[in-house]
Amino acid sequence: MRKWWREFSGLVLPVACAGCGRPRTELCPVCGSALSGAAPRRVRPSPRPAGLPEVHAAAPYENAVRAVLLAHKERGALGLARPLGRALAACVRVGTGQMGAVGPLLLVPVPSAHSATAARGHDPVRRIARSAAHELRRAGCPARVLPVLRQRRRVVDQSGLGARGRRANLAGALEVAGGGERLLAHGRVVLVDDLLTTGATLAEAARAVAEALGSPRRASGRAVCSAAVVSASPSAFEINRN
């Protein structure tokens, strides 16, 4: 019911840009450009958690981009999944294009807690991942979404935790659902999320994938997985970090 009402209200209520509030448009050209106008870049949080794969992001998490992500995630502006998916697809193309093609792209969304998904009425990362996979297929790149990661134990709310606290909170928290390892073995795994802050979530997701595949993080000379996010903390965009 909640999901239906959000979608219906988006059709009948006045629409304003999620980024700047400009009336009669869900995302104005200026805010859309802030989201996907620049080329995706590799991002590196500091300190970098062990096991974090190579990550590409579209834009820093600030101003209009932050507002758009929050509108989609917390306020149910579901129409924003399309532009967010386009931005994510661009990051996937840049990240995987540097490593060579090894089968189809398998977009593995980072899972949300069941309570968070229930409270929001949707899974924002999975929705953006589906939109990104659609964009990739339109461009001739075989891609599919594999939501095989799940939480195997409860974690506390990450807000307010620093880098060390997030790593401790997430250590060993994710696993690949039964049978998922067979699906992951037939393509290039790309972990996807909407936002990178400390990198702890993506590092834990990469560990879970590698464990399911029964291999170290690198196998046969290639990375088991890479990662792509829509946005990352501004500090992670610094280019001269080792």
Side-chain angles (χ1 to χ4, degrees), residues 72-121:
H72 175 258
K73 176 184 284 187
E74 305 296 351
R75 297 198 296 278
L78 305 183
L80 294 172
R82 179 172 293 180
L84 289 169
R86 284 197 295 268
L88 182 63
C91 297
V92 172
R93 282 194 294 266
V94 170
T96 57
Q98 297 175 353
M99 301 178 186
V102 184
L105 296 179
L106 309 176
L107 308 189
V108 178
V110 170
S112 299
H114 294 302
S115 58
T117 300
R120 292 169 179 148

Side-chain angles (χ1 to χ4, degrees), residues 92-93 96 101-107 132-145 186-190:
V92 172
R93 282 194 294 266
T96 57
V102 184
L105 296 179
L106 309 176
L107 308 189
H134 176 72
E135 291 292 327
L136 290 164
R137 289 193 298 270
R138 285 183 58 193
C141 177
R144 60 183 295 203
V145 178
H186 298 288
R188 174 166 293 285
V189 177
V190 184

Side-chain angles (χ1 to χ4, degrees), residues 2-3 6-7 69 71-78 80-82 84 88 107-132 145-151 174 192-195:
R2 182 175 181 179
K3 177 182 177 181
R6 281 177 168 172
E7 294 179 342
L69 278 169
H72 175 258
K73 176 184 284 187
E74 305 296 351
R75 297 198 296 278
L78 305 183
L80 294 172
R82 179 172 293 180
L84 289 169
L88 182 63
L107 308 189
V108 178
V110 170
S112 299
H114 294 302
S115 58
T117 300
R120 292 169 179 148
H122 74 123
D123 187 326
V125 177
R126 189 181 298 190
R127 186 178 293 272
I128 295 171
R130 288 200 299 263
S131 177
V145 178
L146 288 182
V148 295
L149 283 175
R150 66 183 183 185
Q151 292 186 341
L174 299 180
V192 294
D193 204 349
D194 56 352
L195 174 65

Side-chain angles (χ1 to χ4, degrees), residues 21-238:
R22 182 177 297 179
R24 292 186 294 278
T25 178
E26 191 166 41
L27 186 65
C28 75
V30 174
C31 293
S33 178
L35 179 65
S36 57
R41 288 170 49 184
R42 186 174 179 182
V43 290
R44 301 176 178 87
S46 180
R48 181 179 179 179
L52 180 69
E54 184 174 304
V55 187
H56 283 80
Y61 186 63
E62 58 188 359
N63 305 325
V65 172
R66 179 179 183 275
V68 169
L69 278 169
L70 288 174
H72 175 258
K73 176 184 284 187
E74 305 296 351
R75 297 198 296 278
L78 305 183
L80 294 172
R82 179 172 293 180
L84 289 169
R86 284 197 295 268
L88 182 63
C91 297
V92 172
R93 282 194 294 266
V94 170
T96 57
Q98 297 175 353
M99 301 178 186
V102 184
L105 296 179
L106 309 176
L107 308 189
V108 178
V110 170
S112 299
H114 294 302
S115 58
T117 300
R120 292 169 179 148
H122 74 123
D123 187 326
V125 177
R126 189 181 298 190
R127 186 178 293 272
I128 295 171
R130 288 200 299 263
S131 177
H134 176 72
E135 291 292 327
L136 290 164
R137 289 193 298 270
R138 285 183 58 193
C141 177
R144 60 183 295 203
V145 178
L146 288 182
V148 295
L149 283 175
R150 66 183 183 185
Q151 292 186 341
R152 64 181 173 191
R153 64 170 178 79
R154 298 188 66 177
V155 297
V156 302
D157 186 355
Q158 296 270 84
S159 59
L161 295 179
R164 180 178 298 177
R166 290 189 178 213
R167 289 195 300 271
N169 184 41
L170 289 166
L174 299 180
E175 66 180 356
V176 171
E181 67 280 357
R182 294 193 298 272
L183 300 174
L184 294 172
H186 298 288
R188 174 166 293 285
V189 177
V190 184
L191 300 170
V192 294
D193 204 349
D194 56 352
L195 174 65
L196 176 142
T197 49
T198 66
T201 303
L202 287 173
E204 169 59 16
R207 181 209 59 77
V209 167
E211 182 178 279
L213 293 175
S215 64
R217 185 169 172 267
R218 292 192 171 270
S220 301
R222 66 178 180 90
V224 170
C225 63
S226 59
V229 297
V230 175
S231 185
S233 60
S235 62
F237 271 81
E238 295 175 14

